[in-house]
């Protein structure tokens, strides 16, 4: 067991090195910045964070969003210095935004990114990023800076003269190996270490091949010599005015939200597995401070990585000390091992990126959304196609807009239920959901699945009146007993003054039609508001009940008594 644990930890330490370099390339940044971002941020998080298993460093979604959004305006090759400056400034604003959410306890904002939105966004971005890696896998020198699927594919096929068969053969061979290793680990979770060691092995083998046959592989693009040493200061590269400031702020907010969403989700996942809790606001503040400090030390946006955390967990990590150990490993790499990456071909980084992001394409989840919720599927589709054909931020904005529209729709048009009695019981359930639930003659019963407040009070009032008219029409056609009483199940969580006014107006309108309105089971706070508003005086002694069964039984007895006396 000790030997296995030692191997797992070693894999974790080497894994974060190659991942840092690959994700930096995903963000169109120099490879060194990926390693710098794997050194200082984990150290700070180990002091400020609350998760015991979260592995800190660059993440796929943050890297690809930064690379995509910045790449639409600035060329990472022709304007590399400016690109790096904007990346550091973006990281600062991402951290500032994250810290603000934690400080002001505004973390609920990140939940406006619904799961459906993220599924579509990540799938679209993963496809786009995978296609962008054809530049490295084909050996293309001149490539488009645009981040839409059509320009990317056009750039691939319009530059066929630049395709290098040596690069293509080596790149796709390693890509097949990496995908096969990933597939093995997915089918047999106990062999997770195969997908962890495969990228590192591929980096080593490809580097050796290029070095040994460098005279024949001179046309294969390589990383080149990397500078040794710890994180240099980048505070002087931050800027707070100029034409690129709005781009840095916009990209910082988007990457900040997405990286924070993933980090907190990953942290909570492993916390639930080990039966402890993490502090959401503390996590936001920790990640935010980590990124603000990192922007001054040549780091770009970092957060909790699922892959690092999974390897961390499987390696037996129990405390945040694991982040300190990982940072120490990166420090050793920065100080002594950088020359080993000189001959590493860029094609292997492209292959690793494709393998990493392809797991973000979740077509099964999209199919499930289609079966369960069409509006969620619409949000997913908008996000997916928006990212592919328009841009990351517009696709995300459209999807968020659809999600917000769904919220507004549910708030302003809450579901109302016609309740019926389960034979042989005093239980009343929806007649549409329960086949054996039968309507009570002369006692239509309506349930409301929403708080009653200003946004839906008018709709609910009109909906109840329309429902009563429909009931009267049914009674007239079937020649049932006339409508005598309307029972309203008030098992709602809240009501405001507009809702109270709607109930009062509804009671008056029904009274003019000689119909009795009965309220059933209002919860504590709702009862208090109804009492303080004096509206309960309108219902007298037999207008408020604890259960539907009690209301139906009591009102039935009163009506029978009045008939017999009449």
């Amino acid at each position: 067991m000790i030997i296995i644990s030692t191997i797992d930890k070693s894999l974790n330490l080497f894994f974060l090195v190659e991942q840092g370099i690959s994700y930096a390339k995903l963000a169109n940044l120099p490879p060194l910045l990926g390693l710098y971002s794997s050194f200082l941020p984990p150290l700070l998080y180990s002091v400020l964070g609350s998760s015991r298993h979260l592995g800190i460093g660059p993440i796929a979604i943050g890297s690809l969003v930064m690379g995509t959004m910045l790449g639409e305006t600035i060329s990472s090759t022709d304007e590399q210095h400016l690109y790096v400056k904007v990346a550091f400034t973006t990281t600062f604003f991402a951290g500032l935004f994250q810290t603000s959410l934690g400080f002001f306890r505004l973390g609920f904002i990140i939940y406006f990114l619904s799961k459906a939105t993220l599924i579509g966004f990540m799938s679209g971005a993963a496809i786009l990023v995978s296609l962008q890696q054809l530049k490295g896998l084909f050996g293309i020198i001149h490539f488009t800076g645009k981040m839409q699927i059509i320009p990317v594919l056009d750039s691939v096929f319009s530059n066929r003269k630049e395709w290098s068969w040596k690069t293509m053969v080596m790149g796709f061979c390693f890509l097949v190996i990496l995908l096969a290793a990933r597939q093995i680990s997915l089918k047999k979770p106990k062999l997770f270490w195969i997908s962890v060691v495969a990228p590192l092995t591929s980096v080593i083998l490809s580097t050796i091949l290029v070095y040994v046959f460098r005279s024949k592989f001179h046309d294969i693009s390589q990383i080149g010599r990397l500078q040794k040493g710890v994180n240099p200061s980048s505070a002087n590269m931050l800027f707070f005015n100029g034409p690129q400031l709005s781009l840095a702020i916009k990209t910082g907010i988007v990457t900040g939200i997405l990286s924070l969403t993933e980090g907190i989700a990953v942290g909570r996942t492993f916390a639930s597995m080990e039966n402890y809790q993490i502090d959401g606001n503390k996590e936001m503040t920790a990640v935010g401070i980590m990124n603000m400090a990192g922007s001054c030390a040549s780091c770009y946006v970092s957060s909790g990585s699922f892959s690092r955390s999974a390897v961390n967990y499987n390696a037996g990590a129990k405390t945040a000390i694991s982040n300190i150990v990982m940072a120490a490993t990166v420090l050793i790499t920065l100080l002594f091992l950088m020359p080993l990456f000189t001959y590493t071909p860029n094609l292997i980084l492209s292959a690793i990126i494709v393998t990493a992001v392809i797991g973000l394409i979740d077509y099964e989840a999209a199919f499930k959304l289609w079966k369960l919720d069409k509006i969620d599927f619409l949000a997913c589709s908008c996000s997916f196609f928006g990212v592919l054909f328009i841009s990351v931020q517009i696709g995300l904005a459209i999807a968020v807009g659809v999600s917000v529209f769904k919220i507004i729709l549910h708030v302003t048009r809450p579901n109302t239920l016609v309740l019926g009695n389960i034979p042989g019981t005093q239980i009343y359930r929806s007649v549409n959901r329960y086949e054996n639930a039968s309507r009570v003659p002369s006692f239509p019963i309506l349930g409301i699945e929403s708080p009653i407040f200003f946004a839906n009070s008018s709709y609910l009032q009109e909906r109840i009146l329309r429902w009563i008219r429909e009931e009267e029409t049914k009674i007239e056609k079937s020649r049932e007993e006339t409508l005598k009483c309307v029972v309203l199940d008030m098992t709602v969580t809240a009501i405001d003054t507009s809702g109270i006014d709607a109930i009062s107006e509804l009671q008056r309108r029904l009274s003019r039609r000689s119909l009795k309105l009965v309220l059933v089971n209002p919860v504590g706070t709702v009862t208090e508001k109804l009492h303080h508003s004096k509206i309960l005086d309108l219902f007298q002694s037999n207008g408020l009940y604890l259960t539907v069964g009690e209301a139906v039984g009591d009102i039935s007895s009163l009506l029978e008594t009045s008939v017999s006396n009449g």
Side-chain angles (χ1 to χ4, degrees):
M1 290 298 293
I2 295 175
I3 295 175
I4 294 174
S5 179
T6 303
I7 292 174
D8 285 347
K9 291 177 181 178
S10 300
L11 291 177
N12 193 12
L13 301 177
F14 287 113
F15 172 72
L16 66 92
V17 173
E18 57 85 11
Q19 192 183 69
I21 294 175
S22 300
Y23 284 172
K25 184 178 184 297
L26 185 59
N28 298 320
L29 291 168
L32 264 176
L33 300 188
L35 292 180
Y36 292 155
S37 302
S38 302
F39 172 54
L40 181 62
L43 286 177
L44 293 175
Y45 181 84
S46 64
V47 177
L48 302 172
S50 60
S51 174
R52 303 172 193 168
H53 299 90
L54 203 61
I56 299 297
I59 60 173
I61 190 169
S63 300
L64 68 88
V65 169
M66 176 178 284
T68 302
M69 292 184 67
L70 297 185
E72 290 176 346
T73 305
I74 307 169
S75 172
S76 60
T77 53
D78 299 336
E79 303 173 283
Q80 187 180 49
H81 182 69
L82 176 61
Y83 187 93
V84 173
K85 285 179 62 177
V86 177
F88 289 150
T89 307
T90 292
T91 302
F92 176 84
F93 282 109
L96 181 63
F97 180 72
Q98 292 166 336
T99 304
S100 301
L101 290 182
F103 183 79
F104 293 108
R105 299 183 177 274
L106 298 174
F108 65 89
I109 291 176
I110 67 175
Y111 299 114
F112 276 92
L113 286 176
S114 65
K115 183 177 180 181
T117 299
L118 290 176
I119 289 171
F121 169 78
M122 289 191 293
S123 297
I127 291 174
L128 190 59
V129 168
S130 297
L131 292 174
Q132 287 174 334
Q133 302 316 306
L134 294 177
K135 174 186 178 182
L137 292 172
F138 283 21
I140 300 173
I141 300 173
H142 301 93
F143 203 75
T144 181
K146 296 181 179 179
M147 300 296 173
Q148 296 87 31
I149 187 170
I150 294 176
V152 169
L153 289 175
D154 179 67
S155 184
V156 171
F157 291 103
S158 62
N159 291 297
R160 288 191 298 271
K161 293 181 180 179
E162 297 182 4
W163 290 7
S164 168
W165 70 268
K166 295 177 184 177
T167 302
M168 292 171 64
V169 171
M170 182 182 291
F172 281 98
C173 283
F174 279 109
L175 179 60
V176 169
I177 292 172
L178 290 169
L179 291 175
R182 179 179 178 274
Q183 199 64 26
I184 291 171
S185 296
L186 287 176
K187 290 185 176 180
K188 297 183 178 181
K190 291 184 178 180
L191 299 178
F192 78 95
W193 57 270
I194 293 179
S195 63
V196 176
V197 75
L200 176 64
T201 305
S202 299
V203 169
I204 295 173
L205 288 177
S206 63
T207 303
I208 292 174
L209 282 173
V210 171
Y211 176 75
V212 172
F213 300 101
R214 57 187 178 278
S215 60
K216 296 181 179 180
F217 291 166
H218 60 85
D219 56 337
I220 293 181
S221 176
Q222 301 155 25
I223 290 179
R225 185 170 296 276
L226 299 177
Q227 180 183 348
K228 293 192 294 184
V230 295
N231 300 31
S233 173
S234 57
N236 62 331
M237 298 181 72
L238 301 179
F239 60 88
F240 302 98
N241 53 49
Q244 306 299 340
L245 181 61
S246 60
L247 174 63
I249 294 175
K250 178 174 62 177
T251 308
I253 291 175
V254 174
T255 55
I257 290 177
L258 291 173
S259 60
L260 197 58
T261 301
E262 177 173 342
I264 291 180
V266 172
R268 284 178 173 166
T269 298
F270 287 98
S272 64
M273 290 169 63
E274 290 296 309
N275 196 29
Y276 69 92
Q277 291 184 328
I278 62 171
D279 187 331
N281 290 305
K282 186 176 180 181
E283 286 295 291
M284 295 175 197
T285 305
V287 173
I289 293 174
M290 176 185 80
N291 280 317
M292 290 175 68
S295 68
C296 300
S298 300
C299 304
Y300 75 98
V301 176
S302 300
S303 186
S305 164
F306 183 81
S307 54
R308 291 187 186 214
S309 301
V311 176
N312 220 17
Y313 178 80
N314 288 314
K318 298 295 182 183
T319 68
I321 297 296
S322 59
N323 276 306
I324 297 177
V325 175
M326 287 193 295
T329 304
V330 175
L331 176 61
I332 294 172
T333 303
L334 289 169
L335 292 176
F336 305 108
L337 304 180
M338 298 312 294
L340 298 178
F341 297 98
T342 302
Y343 290 96
T344 300
N346 283 313
L347 62 89
I348 195 62
L349 299 183
S350 295
I352 291 173
I353 289 171
V354 171
T355 307
V357 302
I358 202 170
L360 300 176
I361 304 173
D362 195 347
Y363 61 88
E364 291 181 352
F367 181 69
K368 186 176 181 180
L369 289 175
W370 169 257
K371 293 195 298 182
L372 295 179
D373 193 315
K374 298 299 188 290
I375 297 182
D376 272 352
F377 181 79
L378 177 62
C380 176
S381 300
C382 287
S383 183
F384 178 76
F385 291 109
V387 168
L388 279 182
F389 292 97
I390 307 176
S391 69
V392 168
Q393 60 268 40
I394 293 178
L396 200 57
I398 293 173
V400 170
V402 173
S403 297
V404 172
F405 172 75
K406 177 185 176 181
I407 295 172
I408 294 173
L409 188 64
H410 283 303
V411 166
T412 58
R413 296 291 185 271
N415 192 29
T416 52
L417 306 173
V418 177
L419 304 181
N421 178 245
I422 304 295
T425 71
Q426 289 293 310
I427 299 174
Y428 290 79
R429 292 292 184 267
S430 169
V431 295
N432 294 325
R433 296 175 184 171
Y434 292 81
E435 294 182 357
N436 59 341
S438 57
R439 292 169 54 244
V440 180
S442 303
F443 287 90
I445 307 164
L446 186 68
I448 301 172
E449 293 186 334
S450 167
I452 305 175
F453 60 110
F454 69 94
N456 60 27
S457 58
S458 296
Y459 167 79
L460 286 173
Q461 182 180 337
E462 293 301 322
R463 177 70 187 91
I464 293 170
L465 290 171
R466 185 168 66 251
W467 172 70
I468 291 172
R469 288 195 296 270
E470 291 172 357
E471 284 292 312
E472 289 176 333
T473 302
K474 288 180 182 178
I475 290 173
E476 185 177 345
K477 289 181 178 180
S478 59
R479 297 182 180 181
E480 297 178 1
E481 295 183 30
T482 58
L483 197 66
K484 299 171 183 176
C485 177
V486 177
V487 179
L488 186 61
D489 189 346
M490 290 285 291
T491 313
V492 296
T493 55
I495 192 170
D496 69 356
T497 53
S498 297
I500 292 172
D501 290 341
I503 297 295
S504 177
E505 176 64 20
L506 182 64
Q507 196 275 341
R508 282 193 291 266
R509 294 180 69 170
L510 293 181
S511 293
R512 288 196 292 268
R513 299 172 61 177
S514 299
L515 290 175
K516 183 177 183 61
L517 178 63
V518 174
L519 304 182
V520 172
N521 195 28
V523 297
T525 56
V526 174
T527 304
E528 289 177 7
K529 286 188 177 182
L530 293 175
H531 176 72
H532 290 308
S533 67
K534 307 297 183 182
I535 190 178
L536 294 181
D537 295 342
L538 299 174
F539 291 88
Q540 301 176 354
S541 60
N542 57 350
L544 185 66
Y545 294 90
L546 291 177
T547 66
V548 175
E550 181 184 348
V552 172
D554 192 36
I555 299 298
S556 297
S557 299
L558 291 173
L559 290 175
E560 289 175 2
T561 301
S562 63
V563 170
S564 60
N565 291 336

